[in-house]
């Protein structure tokens, strides 16, 4: 039976189910216990699973991720919470130099199945370091898998799949969507769920493909709805997995529509949009009616909250790009 | 003392003789080869060893063997067979003493210099040669041998060790004499790293069953100890709420006795200990280093007089635990092992290039499969490429 719950609550349910199903799953991070995390994603979990399963840690990000590596070597499945995107960098060394490489370095003998949850992106009026989009740094690192959800149903299954995965997964949560509601079937078996490392057509269409992930999927869907009023039938692909990228789904769509517009909050320079544009050009060149266009954050540090609406890609910028694509 | 009641803070070592640093250290075997029997520190703990003659001889054999292997590696590096080597010369006692104090169930997290500990863990000593020759990045089975991969980024492994030790507690494998303990190795330079300090915080807060074993070999490449600290390193432990103790790092018996006691405390549920093994790196930092630029010959000479092997040999001879025949046999056996190693290193094949695509992800990835195929086809397109 599907219930209408928020994305944040869906994550909470997903974590709860992972804790129930596998005694080796432990959650660790700053304030994840009594407080339930600053976004309350771990709300109530310590109360029900105890302080050994839901561990309030000292305030040190390298420590959170580095000790999780040791726990994973020991056979646990740690789920680390990084409080905000801008605070992941003290742990960056552990993530890219240790987490990503342990399996390779040991010739496959040491696995570190762990999840690093990072609330990311802007749009909530926060102060500096609380609205960043660092996904490209991680997606660029072989050995890591990087995923992000855009709606409650995906949040619920993807967090469980990430925890069950033998890969180390960096799990980006679109914080501005934490409070958006959607239908989630809490009883559905995980075995039947859509695969973790697969993109999905969120809205079928025929005239152009919008490629989005995380917080921008909502913007892309809104843009597609608006464009429909002008008689344009846009397809929206929710990438879901950022590394590895699920190219077959993307190529199939773009070959069919002939146009692609990528949208993300992160700065455009060397971002995921650049990679997508290059790959689509290589693979779909003869199907393209226009160059792949990008709608992204500007190449500046995330600006003050009072002007973030001007920084963030929105419906109008996306529709403008669609217009440009059709004007080619 | 009851569980958790162990005195937190730095344990002032007692004495150590004329060769000790200010503040002293725990020493059981003097540079002259005199066995002091037992030592009691200011907190009332007594350290001693109770080896049979056979065990004393075994320790000596270990020391000589790892020095010989290390010398062979240095020679191989000079001959261009290894890209780099991080020598343990001078640090054999710290490594063999602590390495032999580990029980089979204990887990060790090394840096890149712990070839002596690796040897004590029963790993084929050829394993690190692969890393330094550039044919792989390690690749021994960490879980089987309870000795994790070498870690080159300074300090990172102390956090892995701490997390692993937390897992030991969560598994209920502490609080008994047969419990498990964890040891993390690092250098004096590493103590400046944030991650090492975070591992101290973590271990203290979670009372993790861990021993931090710092080999203070006086230098971090060219930077002397004074560039890392203005207090003795073992004193740092006090700030994190667990005991710190300094040992004569060139004394294999002190290294063994103190590490064993610290490991026992850890497995008994009494939490972490920081051991500072006061020693000296006799060679270069690595084969790329030129130590004559930053240290003087007389300093090296003064440490030569404290050589860990010479003093063990003097003790064995003086006590008639071993004679010339034994010393000659040990040298010969070490040499045989080293030459065998040399042969195997020279015969170490370069890996098949395509194997570089292996072990990126436990279950592979379609992207990588594609790249691997393209790579194979590309190389096959060259006539007689042999791939
Ligand atoms: C984070 C980091 N910075 C710099 C280096 C380069 N480096 C390698 S070894 C070393 C000195 C380490 O000194 P210490 O911790 O005392 O250990 P030792 O090599 O003396 O055993 C440095 C600076 C590194 N490996 N990692």
């Amino acid at each position: 039976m599907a219930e209408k719950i928020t994305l944040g609550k869906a994550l909470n349910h997903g974590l709860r189910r992972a804790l129930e199903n596998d005694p080796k799953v432990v959650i660790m991070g700053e304030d994840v216990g009594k407080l339930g995390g600053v976004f309350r994603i771990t709300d109530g979990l310590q109360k029900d699973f105890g302080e050994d399963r839901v561990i309030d840690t000292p305030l040190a990000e390298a420590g959170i991720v580095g000790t999780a590596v040791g726990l994973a070597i020991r056979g646990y499945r740690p789920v680390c919470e990084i409080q905000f995107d801008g605070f992941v960098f003290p742990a960056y060394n552990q993530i890219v130099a240790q987490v990503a490489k342990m399996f390779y370095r040991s010739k496959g003998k040491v696995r570190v199945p762990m999840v690093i949850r990072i609330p990311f992106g802007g749009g909530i009026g926060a102060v500096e370091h609380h609205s960043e989009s660092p996904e490209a740094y991680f997606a660029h690192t072989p050995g890591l898998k990087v995923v992000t959800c855009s709606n409650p149903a995906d949040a619920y299954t993807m967090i469980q799949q990430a925890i069950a995965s033998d890969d180390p997964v960096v799990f980006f949560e679109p914080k501005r969507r934490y409070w958006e509601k959607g239908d989630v079937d809490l009883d559905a078996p995980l075995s039947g769920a859509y695969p973790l490392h697969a993109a999905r057509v969120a809205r079928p269409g025929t005239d152009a493909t919008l490629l989005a992930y995380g917080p921008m999927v909502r913007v892309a869907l809104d843009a597609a709805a608006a464009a429909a009023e002008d008689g344009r039938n846009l397809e929206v692909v929710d990438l879901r997995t950022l590394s590895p990228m699920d190219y077959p789904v993307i190529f199939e769509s773009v070959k069919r529509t002939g146009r692609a517009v990528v949208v993300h909050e992160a700065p455009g320079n060397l971002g995921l949009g650049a990679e997508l544009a290059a790959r689509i050009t290589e693979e779909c060149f003869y199907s393209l009616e226009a160059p792949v266009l990008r709608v992204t954050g500007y190449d500046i540090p995330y600006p003050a909250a009072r002007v973030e609406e001007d920084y963030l890609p929105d419906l109008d910028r996306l529709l403008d790009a669609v217009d440009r694509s059709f004007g080619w | 003392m009851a569980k958790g009641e162990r005195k937190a803070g730095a344990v002032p070592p007692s004495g150590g003789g004329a060769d000790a640093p200010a503040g002293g250290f725990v020493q059981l075997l003097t540079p002259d080869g005199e066995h002091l029997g037992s030592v009691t520190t200011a907190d009332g703990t007594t350290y001693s060893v109770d080896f049979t003659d056979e065990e004393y001889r075994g320790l000596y054999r270990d020391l000589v063997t790892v020095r010989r292997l290390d010398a062979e590696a240095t020679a191989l590096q000079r001959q261009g067979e290894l890209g780099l080597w991080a020598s343990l010369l001078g640090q054999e006692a710290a490594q063999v003493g602590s390495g032999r104090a580990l029980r089979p169930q204990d887990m060790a997290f090394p840096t890149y210099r712990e070839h002596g500990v690796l040897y004590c863990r029963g790993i084929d000593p050829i394993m690190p040669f692969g890393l330094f020759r550039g044919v792989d990045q390690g690749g021994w089975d960490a879980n089987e041998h309870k000795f994790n991969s070498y870690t080159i980024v300074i300090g990172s492994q102390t956090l892995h060790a701490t997390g692993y030790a937390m897992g030991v507690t969560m598994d209920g494998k502490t609080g008994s004499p047969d419990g498990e303990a964890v040891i993390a190795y690092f250098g004096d330079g590493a103590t400046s790293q944030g991650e090492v300090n975070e591992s101290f915080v973590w271990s203290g807060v979670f009372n993790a069953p861990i021993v931090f074993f710092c080999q203070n070999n006086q230098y971090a490449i060219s930077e002397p100890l004074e560039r890392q600290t203005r207090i003795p390193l073992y004193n740092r432990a006090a700030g994190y709420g667990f005991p710190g103790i300094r040992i004569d790092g060139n004394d294999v018996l002190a290294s063994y006795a103190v590490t064993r006691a610290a490991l026992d405390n850890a497995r008994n549920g009494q939490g972490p200990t920081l051991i500072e093994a006061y020693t000296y790196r006799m060679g270069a930092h690595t084969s790329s280093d030129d130590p004559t630029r930053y240290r003087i010959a007389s300093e090296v000479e003064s440490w030569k007089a404290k050589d860990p092997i010479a003093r063990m040999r003097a003790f064995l001879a003086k006590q008639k635990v071993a004679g010339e025949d034994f010393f000659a046999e040990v040298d010969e056996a070490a040499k045989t092992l080293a030459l065998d190693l040399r042969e195997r290193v020279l015969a170490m094949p370069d890996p098949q290039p395509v194997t570089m695509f292996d072990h990126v992800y436990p279950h592979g990835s379609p992207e990588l499969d594609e790249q691997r195929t393209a790579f194979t086809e590309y190389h096959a397109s060259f006539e007689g490429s042999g791939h």
Side-chain angles (χ1 to χ4, degrees):
Chain A
M1 240 289 289
E3 278 181 50
K4 228 179 181 47
I5 55 173
T6 64
L7 188 149
K9 198 73 193 159
L11 287 167
N12 177 272
H13 281 297
L15 290 168
R16 172 177 291 277
R17 215 164 112 171
L19 284 163
E20 276 165 4
N21 290 345
D22 185 349
K24 291 295 185 188
V25 173
V26 291
I27 290 175
M28 47 203 291
E30 296 155 12
D31 308 300
V32 296
K34 280 210 177 73
L35 184 66
V38 291
F39 289 107
R40 308 292 183 267
I41 304 303
T42 56
D43 191 26
L45 298 179
Q46 190 184 61
K47 183 165 78 52
D48 294 342
F49 294 92
E51 292 183 9
D52 290 342
R53 303 285 307 281
V54 182
I55 306 170
D56 269 326
T57 67
L59 207 172
E61 284 70 18
I64 294 168
V65 175
T67 54
V69 170
L71 279 163
I73 294 173
R74 177 82 195 174
Y76 284 85
R77 287 188 179 266
V79 183
C80 304
E81 175 170 307
I82 300 294
Q83 206 156 62
F84 279 92
D85 34 46
F87 307 137
V88 70
F89 298 104
Y92 191 65
N93 167 50
Q94 281 290 339
I95 299 173
V96 301
Q98 304 299 331
V99 175
K101 292 183 177 167
M102 206 54 93
F103 187 70
Y104 195 68
R105 177 188 294 153
S106 69
K107 288 202 191 126
K109 299 203 177 79
V110 174
R111 289 183 186 190
V112 285
M114 53 191 281
V115 177
I116 300 162
R117 294 179 38 235
I118 309 176
F120 83 126
I124 63 164
V127 297
E128 197 188 10
H129 306 299
H130 290 70
S131 302
E132 300 180 7
S133 301
E135 60 272 18
Y137 297 118
F138 301 98
H140 191 64
T141 303
L144 297 176
K145 296 221 171 165
V146 184
V147 302
T148 177
C149 54
S150 68
N151 60 71
D154 267 359
Y156 178 64
T157 48
M158 287 174 77
I159 189 64
Q160 293 180 67
Q161 291 169 317
I163 295 169
S165 163
D166 284 339
D167 301 307
V169 178
V170 181
F171 193 95
F172 280 104
E173 299 171 3
K175 69 168 88 82
R176 67 194 286 197
R177 307 293 174 212
Y178 273 150
W179 301 275
E180 287 188 9
K181 287 190 172 177
D183 283 336
V184 181
D185 183 355
L186 296 174
D187 301 320
L190 200 55
S191 54
Y194 201 72
L196 177 64
H197 297 295
R200 174 155 56 192
V201 176
R203 175 196 166 111
T206 50
D207 301 344
T209 301
L210 303 184
L211 298 162
Y213 57 88
M216 283 293 116
V217 173
R218 161 71 33 223
V219 177
L221 288 170
D222 290 349
E229 288 172 17
D230 300 335
R232 279 182 186 151
N233 187 1
L234 305 187
E235 178 149 306
V236 176
V237 175
D238 180 354
L239 298 175
R240 297 170 87 253
T241 172
L242 307 182
S243 180
M245 194 78 82
D246 184 12
Y247 286 111
V249 170
I250 297 163
F251 295 155
E252 192 281 322
S253 172
V254 176
K255 279 180 182 162
R256 192 159 32 73
T257 66
R259 300 175 198 280
V261 179
V262 191
V263 55
H264 59 63
E265 292 187 15
N269 186 35
L270 297 168
L272 290 175
E275 179 65 25
L276 278 163
R279 297 293 292 256
I280 291 169
T281 306
E282 283 174 17
E283 195 66 26
C284 312
F285 190 69
Y286 291 108
S287 309
L288 286 173
E289 308 280 346
V292 182
L293 299 179
R294 289 175 289 162
V295 182
T296 69
Y298 300 105
D299 295 323
I300 56 170
Y302 197 86
R306 292 296 181 94
V307 294
E308 70 179 342
E309 291 308 328
D310 296 304
Y311 169 88
L312 291 167
D314 61 7
L315 188 87
D316 291 335
R317 274 171 69 193
L318 196 44
L319 288 173
D320 275 356
V322 171
D323 281 347
R324 271 192 290 136
S325 181
F326 279 97
W328 219 271
Chain B
M1 243 179 283
K3 185 176 162 178
E5 273 180 40
R6 193 154 157 250
K7 186 167 172 270
V11 180
S14 74
D19 54 313
F25 54 23
V26 172
Q27 185 183 69
L28 287 170
L29 186 64
T30 71
D32 302 332
E34 191 193 338
H35 196 328
L36 301 175
S38 71
V39 182
T40 302
T41 51
D43 71 342
T45 312
T46 298
Y47 296 99
S48 64
V49 290
D50 43 9
F51 289 120
T52 62
D53 287 355
E54 189 54 39
E55 286 168 330
Y56 280 124
R57 284 191 291 264
L59 279 182
Y60 176 81
R61 186 185 295 276
D62 288 340
L63 293 171
V64 171
T65 305
V66 299
R67 176 170 294 185
R68 187 68 180 81
L69 293 175
D70 185 73
E72 199 62 38
T74 301
L76 282 165
Q77 195 284 328
R78 297 223 172 100
Q79 292 158 13
E81 298 294 342
L82 301 179
L84 185 81
W85 183 252
S87 166
L88 61 61
L89 186 63
Q91 300 178 219
E92 297 88 351
Q95 295 195 14
V96 167
S98 60
R100 285 296 179 209
L102 294 169
R103 296 220 214 138
Q105 71 267 30
D106 297 336
M107 179 76 176
F109 287 82
T111 69
Y112 41 79
R113 203 188 288 286
E114 270 71 68
H115 325 306
V117 185
L118 175 138
Y119 179 77
C120 291
R121 293 265 84 187
I123 296 173
D124 183 343
I126 196 154
M127 294 309 291
F129 287 74
L131 173 71
F132 289 106
R133 189 173 165 88
V135 306
D136 61 28
Q137 295 172 337
W140 54 86
D141 193 326
N143 293 311
E144 184 190 340
H145 296 285
K146 297 269 179 181
F147 185 83
N148 204 51
S149 314
Y150 277 3
T151 300
I152 293 184
V153 181
I154 297 296
S156 292
Q157 76 283 1
T158 58
L159 280 169
H160 308 162
T162 302
Y164 190 95
M166 288 165 65
V168 169
T169 306
M170 286 154 59
D171 287 346
K173 296 289 170 70
T174 48
S176 94
D178 294 321
E180 294 180 39
V182 179
I183 191 164
Y185 288 91
F186 52 99
D188 42 294
T191 62
S192 298
Q193 285 284 352
E195 290 179 41
V196 173
N197 287 276
E198 288 181 31
S199 72
F200 290 170
V201 171
W202 237 266
S203 298
V205 166
F206 291 102
N207 198 43
I210 186 168
V211 176
F212 292 107
F213 196 94
C214 174
Q215 289 170 83
N216 173 4
N217 64 8
Q218 313 299 329
Y219 289 91
I221 310 187
S222 71
E223 298 199 358
L225 185 63
E226 298 77 56
R227 271 292 138 140
Q228 316 297 341
T229 184
R230 56 185 282 178
I231 61 163
L233 292 175
Y234 74 99
N235 280 337
R236 292 240 175 126
Y240 298 94
F242 52 85
I245 184 162
R246 187 160 60 193
I247 63 170
D248 180 345
N250 286 16
D251 169 359
V252 70
L253 304 185
S255 176
Y256 180 93
V258 174
T259 308
R260 179 179 59 181
L263 288 167
D264 281 344
N265 285 334
R267 76 179 93 249
N268 279 324
Q270 294 180 49
T273 301
L274 168 63
I275 297 173
E276 176 190 357
Y278 198 79
T279 182
Y280 195 77
R281 184 237 298 151
M282 293 300 291
H285 167 72
T286 66
S287 45
S288 314
D289 172 38
D290 175 8
T292 62
R293 280 175 170 252
Y294 56 84
R295 65 186 195 188
I296 49 173
S298 61
E299 180 182 290
V300 182
E301 282 309 307
S302 77
W303 278 92
K304 232 180 219 167
K306 303 174 191 173
D307 184 74
I309 298 185
R311 72 173 76 177
M312 194 60 187
R313 183 179 169 130
F315 158 69
L316 295 178
K318 230 186 280 186
Q319 297 301 311
K320 307 221 182 315
V321 172
E324 287 308 319
D325 288 357
F326 172 75
F327 297 132
E329 185 266 312
V330 168
D331 285 345
E332 198 50 40
K335 188 173 157 198
T336 307
L337 186 62
L339 292 181
D340 171 62
L341 193 70
R342 157 175 291 264
E343 259 175 42
R344 290 164 64 209
V345 168
L346 296 181
M348 232 180 200
D350 284 351
Q352 284 295 316
V354 72
T355 60
M356 75 169 96
F357 294 98
D358 295 346
H359 306 306
V360 180
Y361 301 100
H363 305 292
S365 96
E367 282 281 288
L368 274 180
D369 289 347
E370 228 174 75
Q371 289 182 22
R372 181 193 282 110
T373 305
F375 178 92
T376 308
E377 283 168 5
Y378 179 68
H379 283 265
S381 72
F382 294 101
E383 244 180 310
S385 70
H387 289 300

